[in-house]
Amino acid sequence: MLVERIWAANSLRNFNYLIACAETGEALVVDPLNAAQCLAAATAKGFDIRQVLNTHEHRDHTDGNAGVVAATDARVLAHAGGAGAIGGVDRGLARGDVVKVGRTVELEVLDTPGHTRSHVCLLAHGDVPALFCGDTLFNAGAGNCHNGGDPGLLYETFVNQLVKLPDATRVYPGHEYMARNLEFTLDREPGNREAVAALEAAKARKPEEARVTTMGEEKRVNAFLRLQNTEVIARLRERFPEVGEKPDARTVFVKLRELRNRW
Ligand SMILES: [Zn+2]
Ligand SMILES: [Zn+2]
């Protein structure tokens, strides 16, 4: 599997991805924003875009659909529940579906509500597993729930699906918020030394050169995956004494999401 990350260079800091078969050059584009930019990236790599996949219905993840389809005649894939809002969807996806790219790439569809009700992540199995996670999991953070989402559902997605993935899984999110999110982790867990080092490293890089993290790293520096950490809980209790001494993971997650909304 070949992965080409495209930095959209916009204020929302979107990442788009080309996922291609190394044997045939056939490609799928994830969440195209600027069609011309995605098409140029495919041409530069010699890829032939055959499919478009939207992780969810927000415009910053779908605006490039029409331009890519007009130029390539690609099929559009999206969560069956979000297809109506997106429009022009050829294949509605559900949990467990498999999306094939060329001869060698198979992507498993995960149904991952929370950021919106109808959100899919793609999981590539293989020697090095990879997760294309849209606005669900970010580097060192989690998606917001402002536009059709639900923090309780996002928690369920994290705990029931994402944390169970192998530590080696590479994480390809829909936005570049690494430094900002690490600052939030350190606000919640100032003693996290790996997060201090990761923040320094992130600040030294341009967004288009941001490191690709793994689930193992995320578990060490992402506050939303550190729900039983004693410092995280102690700091949370300073703000929300009502959570008690041993808050459950769901409560910690939802309160962290609430804090991050205003942070
Ligand atoms: Zn979104
Ligand atoms: Zn987004």
Side-chain angles (χ1 to χ4, degrees):
M1 181 179 76
L2 304 174
V3 178
E4 181 72 10
R5 187 177 67 188
I6 301 167
W7 163 242
N10 59 336
S11 60
L12 287 172
R13 306 176 72 83
N14 286 74
F15 278 139
N16 304 164
Y17 298 94
L18 294 169
I19 303 172
C21 169
E23 278 183 19
T24 67
E26 290 167 76
L28 173 149
V29 57
V30 179
D31 289 346
L33 175 57
N34 178 331
Q37 193 186 21
C38 294
L39 293 166
T43 302
K45 287 285 167 183
F47 296 161
D48 179 13
I49 296 177
R50 299 284 184 89
Q51 299 176 90
V52 171
L53 186 141
N54 304 123
T55 57
H56 63 293
E57 71 273 23
H58 289 158
R59 292 291 298 273
D60 61 309
H61 297 256
T62 63
D63 264 357
N65 282 18
V68 171
V69 169
T72 64
D73 217 16
R75 293 185 79 210
V76 178
L77 291 68
H79 193 295
I86 294 170
V89 173
D90 300 298
R91 179 181 173 191
L93 300 171
R95 172 184 169 193
D97 284 352
V98 174
V99 175
K100 294 187 176 184
V101 183
R103 270 203 296 269
T104 60
V105 180
E106 289 195 357
L107 305 164
E108 178 187 348
V109 174
L110 308 183
D111 191 350
T112 53
H115 173 66
T116 66
R117 301 270 166 175
S118 301
H119 189 298
V120 292
C121 292
L122 293 174
L123 178 63
H125 298 282
D127 294 349
V128 182
L131 179 72
F132 298 86
C133 39
D135 290 359
T136 298
L137 171 70
F138 291 136
N139 296 125
N144 70 48
C145 303
H146 301 322
N147 299 297
D150 180 297
L153 280 176
L154 191 60
Y155 166 75
E156 298 286 339
T157 288
F158 268 60
V159 72
N160 294 330
Q161 299 189 68
L162 304 187
V163 300
K164 294 180 177 172
L165 298 176
D167 281 352
T169 307
R170 289 165 74 81
V171 175
Y172 293 104
H175 294 264
E176 199 298 295
Y177 299 143
M178 180 130 43
R180 181 82 179 133
N181 284 336
L182 286 165
E183 285 171 350
F184 179 73
T185 288
L186 286 167
D187 183 62
R188 298 290 88 214
E189 189 190 354
N192 188 326
R193 292 162 93 177
E194 184 167 343
V196 171
L199 176 60
E200 225 168 273
K203 281 182 165 172
R205 288 184 184 234
K206 295 178 185 162
E208 58 268 42
E209 293 162 0
R211 276 188 52 251
V212 175
T213 65
T214 63
M215 276 305 299
E217 290 176 70
E218 292 298 331
K219 288 176 191 170
R220 298 193 298 271
V221 302
N222 188 327
F224 293 91
L225 296 170
R226 299 179 65 72
L227 306 173
Q228 301 299 333
N229 178 272
T230 51
E231 192 176 19
V232 170
I233 291 172
R235 297 266 297 159
L236 199 67
R237 291 189 63 209
E238 292 171 12
R239 295 290 290 274
F240 304 101
E242 71 274 16
V243 303
E245 266 178 51
K246 289 197 162 83
D248 59 38
R250 181 195 195 89
T251 300
V252 176
F253 185 97
V254 171
K255 290 295 186 192
L256 286 175
R257 190 52 262 176
E258 191 181 322
L259 284 176
R260 182 67 176 83
N261 291 344
R262 295 181 263 122
W263 189 78

